[in-house]
Amino acid sequence: MNLVAAFRGELYKTVKRPAIWVCIGLLLMLAVLLGYALSWYLFTHPPAGATRNQAPGAPTFDQLKVILYPASFVKQTLNQWSTLGGVFALILGVLSQGSEYGWGTVKTLFTQHPSRVSMLVGKVLALALTVLLTVVLLFAVDAGSSYVIALVDGKSTDFPALIDIEKGVAAAWLIFGFWAAFGFGLATLFRQSAMAIGLGLAYAILIEGILLNILASVGGDVVKQIQQWFPIANTGYLAQSFGTAIRAAGQPAVKPLADANHAVTVLLIYVAVFVVGSAILVRQRDVT
Amino acid sequence: MLQETVVETTGLSKRYGNGVVAVDNLQLNVFRGEVYGFLGPNGAGKTTTLRMLLGLIKPTTGSARVAGSAPGSPASLAKIGAIVETPAFYPYLSGYDNLRVLADYCGVPYSRIGPALDQVELTPRAKHKFATYSMGMKQRLGVASALLKEPELLILDEPTNGLDPQGMADMRNLIIQIGQGERTVLISSHLLNEVELMCSRIGVIQKGKLVAEGTIDDLRGAAHLIVRAAPADKARKVLEAVAGSPNVTVEDGAFRLKVDLGRTSQINRQLVEAGVEVTELRTAERSLEEVFMELTGTQGGL
């Protein structure tokens, strides 16, 4: 009962919060503009001196346009947005928790009568729903964009099977869910938004990449085993399990280090760690 | 009749990691139906105590029962409405929507929101965003949120902080009004006049310790009678005969009598009949500020 009450309160706050819609709207706008409109324009009207067609075995611009058509939209959405879209999900997670500390509303909430953990679970459920909505909207926007481009180019408007779309949405939900939980956990740890977003972005853009490069330079099976447990790498494994939209002619697909099942397991572990860790912090710490 | 205790602390202490003892072995008792003033200078430990009573911070040692349960437990919080320091709400939501969110959390019907806003006279601004509210309106919304649960105990931490004189007067009247009947109000303040006007009983905290607790009259002590008369030796004889010599002292050239004030006219008559010329005869009592300064060694909160 307390959990449902907390969920209802959180959901109402989320729906009414402009920053949430700005964040989601910005992601969708980028999905249309960068993911489809700009790519289509450049592939259709390559700038003078563009060298893409000159590389031996490289796909031509016309071949590249395949990724913009409906048949590829699930792969395209997952491959293009697993990290960049994840950053938006990270911000959603930070906003959900960090702002409570910034506004001091954490003490207002904690003097209502649901327990702190019930409140946190209610908040996490509302965040999960927000992330799912974001993913569904992203897929809808990408599907719509790919459909329009196929119509313009006179290509097939056939979409992948519904089950593949559903799997894609579920995978993206887990990937974005990981990012949101990461942001939520950082905001809880630092009790503020700025530090959480800063560190989250630093990890997304730099830290894991540097660590993986260092490990790769060492090489060996043990290193490969370690690499398989990094979270962003696993978002990549999961996205790649849907296939890449296009690759160089005659080149075999690059097999990810781990399969989808492994990636799902690792990401679920990370989500659980962030949520449980946040619950422990929220339960134990004083509100000063 | 035995009074029911709504807030009871036993040896409550809070020591922070840096060694600062914010609250030290506090024994506090607040009874049902009273407006209890928790008085102390800035930094005395008032807010830390209230946060412990609400479960926001955990005591280092000691225990408390608040509204019949452990501090911070859902059972306790269900019976408490509170404002801790500045009221904190969601700036992008209206006053009404903020209360709606809290109503969701508390599981109370939305039908209580309107009356709560009415009670604090915020209905005309209910649909405006919290970010646009003045400090007074924010405080009133805080009180409305505290009333939403129809709590048996209200805990208000410095509710007049940041208000202009009119706002302070309005808030005072509001607290007096909501503190009527069976509801218990525990209010912290460093402003003596507001405590004097609102509270039936007070506790004074200084450096984390409760240095006095009682009704305002108890703390002030009995009123005195001040007599200025000549000749002084003859006046003294009369006054000592009337009040008893231990109850007569001299301060600044005037006699100070611990005596039933109902006997004032009788004392005046006896002095006159004894040939003493009375130039001043008045009652005097210590102000709460004097008591506060004496207890805390500060200049008071004013």
Side-chain angles (χ1 to χ4, degrees):
Chain A
M1 179 60 199
N2 279 344
L3 200 149
V4 174
F7 175 65
R8 280 178 62 181
E10 282 303 323
L11 208 55
Y12 189 72
K13 282 178 345 196
T14 305
V15 169
K16 288 272 188 171
R17 188 168 181 188
I20 300 286
W21 296 109
V22 168
C23 188
I24 295 173
L26 200 58
L27 171 64
L28 300 181
M29 194 179 77
L30 288 175
V32 174
L33 292 180
L34 296 185
Y36 284 91
L38 183 63
S39 301
W40 177 82
Y41 182 82
L42 289 175
F43 296 162
T44 309
H45 309 287
T51 58
R52 157 70 67 178
N53 287 338
Q54 295 163 15
T60 63
F61 285 115
D62 279 345
Q63 287 171 329
L64 278 174
K65 282 173 89 177
V66 170
I67 64 172
L68 303 178
Y69 299 143
S72 300
F73 100 93
V74 172
K75 303 176 209 174
Q76 167 74 346
T77 303
L78 280 164
N79 283 298
Q80 190 153 43
W81 296 106
S82 66
T83 300
L84 184 54
V87 168
F88 282 85
L90 173 104
I91 293 169
L92 289 177
V94 171
L95 287 177
S96 168
Q97 182 74 330
S99 304
E100 301 283 4
Y101 291 103
W103 292 323
T105 42
V106 66
K107 71 184 180 200
T108 306
L109 291 185
F110 289 173
T111 50
Q112 309 311 312
H113 67 257
S115 72
R116 292 186 187 189
V117 173
S118 295
M119 285 196 194
L120 182 126
V121 174
K123 200 179 261 295
V124 167
L125 290 178
L127 179 61
L129 199 61
T130 309
V131 171
L132 176 61
L133 176 74
T134 308
V135 168
V136 169
L137 288 174
L138 180 63
F139 269 70
V141 160
D142 276 8
S145 303
S146 66
Y147 185 78
V148 169
I149 285 176
L151 280 181
V152 170
D153 284 357
K155 301 291 182 182
S156 166
T157 54
D158 289 346
F159 283 99
L162 185 60
I163 185 70
D164 291 332
I165 298 174
E166 286 169 352
K167 281 181 183 174
V169 168
W173 190 24
L174 179 57
I175 291 169
F176 281 25
F178 152 74
W179 282 104
F182 184 34
F184 189 91
L186 287 173
T188 307
L189 180 65
F190 296 115
R191 290 187 263 206
Q192 57 162 295
S193 300
M195 186 87 156
I197 288 181
L199 266 182
L201 287 179
Y203 187 82
I205 296 166
L206 294 171
I207 296 171
E208 187 171 313
I210 292 171
L211 282 171
L212 287 177
N213 280 338
I214 292 170
L215 288 172
S217 68
V218 175
D221 283 346
V222 176
V223 166
K224 277 187 182 171
Q225 289 292 322
I226 295 170
Q227 283 179 328
Q228 288 174 30
W229 294 94
F230 280 86
I232 299 179
N234 277 280
T235 63
Y237 304 152
L238 185 54
Q240 287 163 35
S241 71
F242 285 79
T244 46
I246 193 148
R247 57 181 184 269
Q251 296 293 310
V254 178
K255 197 171 175 236
L257 278 177
D259 61 14
N261 287 338
H262 172 89
V264 167
T265 306
V266 171
L267 291 175
L268 284 175
I269 290 171
Y270 275 106
V271 170
V273 166
F274 292 136
V275 172
V276 172
S278 298
I280 292 169
L281 286 174
V282 160
R283 193 165 185 274
Q284 295 299 327
R285 284 199 304 208
D286 286 346
V287 179
T288 51
Chain B
M1 198 179 84
L2 203 63
Q3 286 178 294
E4 187 189 347
T5 307
V6 177
V7 178
E8 183 178 15
T9 71
T10 309
L12 200 67
S13 300
K14 181 67 182 179
R15 178 188 293 272
Y16 288 107
N18 56 7
V20 171
V21 180
V23 176
D24 189 6
N25 196 29
L26 189 74
Q27 320 284 339
L28 194 69
N29 290 289
V30 181
F31 302 117
R32 182 168 303 282
E34 69 180 2
V35 179
Y36 185 97
F38 194 39
L39 202 57
N42 291 326
K46 302 186 295 293
T47 298
T48 305
T49 302
L50 297 190
R51 283 176 190 260
M52 284 195 281
L53 296 180
L54 289 164
L56 290 174
I57 60 179
K58 295 177 184 66
T60 312
T61 56
S63 62
R65 300 282 293 171
V66 185
S69 305
S73 63
S76 171
L77 291 175
K79 297 175 188 167
I80 303 173
I83 308 178
V84 185
E85 291 182 313
T86 320
F89 292 99
Y90 301 98
Y92 60 91
L93 291 179
S94 67
Y96 181 92
D97 283 341
N98 267 294
L99 295 192
R100 196 191 136 142
V101 168
L102 298 185
D104 278 336
Y105 272 110
C106 303
V108 303
Y110 298 149
S111 57
R112 284 197 201 162
I113 298 173
L117 287 166
D118 278 344
Q119 199 164 356
V120 299
E121 297 175 6
L122 209 53
T123 305
R125 293 292 303 271
K127 296 291 178 189
H128 294 197
K129 284 189 175 154
F130 177 72
T132 67
Y133 282 13
S134 68
M135 191 63 203
M137 287 191 280
K138 287 177 179 174
Q139 292 282 20
R140 279 187 278 149
L141 185 65
V143 174
S145 75
L147 292 172
L148 208 56
K149 287 187 260 183
E150 296 182 348
E152 63 182 65
L153 170 65
L154 268 176
I155 295 181
L156 307 174
D157 185 15
E158 311 261 8
T160 56
N161 248 6
L163 301 184
D164 60 23
Q166 183 58 50
M168 289 169 87
D170 290 345
M171 183 59 74
R172 258 197 320 263
N173 292 335
L174 180 62
I175 291 167
I176 291 167
Q177 181 203 332
I178 60 185
Q180 285 169 350
E182 281 295 286
R183 180 174 286 145
T184 309
V185 182
L186 168 55
I187 174 172
S188 86
S189 182
H190 62 281
L191 300 177
L192 304 170
N193 63 333
E194 87 181 10
V195 167
E196 199 163 9
L197 289 166
M198 288 186 290
C199 300
S200 41
R201 216 158 60 89
I202 63 173
V204 181
I205 186 172
Q206 166 70 342
K207 293 181 181 165
K209 287 179 186 288
L210 194 70
V211 291
E213 188 179 50
T215 64
I216 291 172
D217 286 342
D218 284 344
L219 293 178
R220 274 193 191 130
H224 290 76
L225 193 63
I226 304 293
V227 180
R228 208 176 284 275
D233 54 343
K234 194 186 275 185
R236 184 178 196 107
K237 275 184 193 163
V238 173
L239 294 173
E240 284 181 350
V242 173
S245 59
N247 294 321
V248 180
T249 55
V250 179
E251 255 177 45
D252 296 333
F255 297 102
R256 188 181 182 95
L257 274 70
K258 271 190 211 171
V259 68
D260 176 7
L261 297 179
R263 296 175 64 194
T264 305
S265 58
Q266 179 210 341
I267 291 167
N268 184 36
R269 191 169 55 249
Q270 284 185 279
L271 285 167
V272 171
E273 283 172 0
V276 174
E277 188 181 341
V278 179
T279 55
E280 186 182 355
L281 182 64
R282 63 178 171 85
T283 57
E285 60 182 3
R286 289 194 305 168
S287 69
L288 189 58
E289 187 174 2
E290 285 172 311
V291 174
F292 182 84
M293 286 165 65
E294 202 174 289
L295 290 169
T296 64
T298 67
Q299 290 302 303
L302 297 173

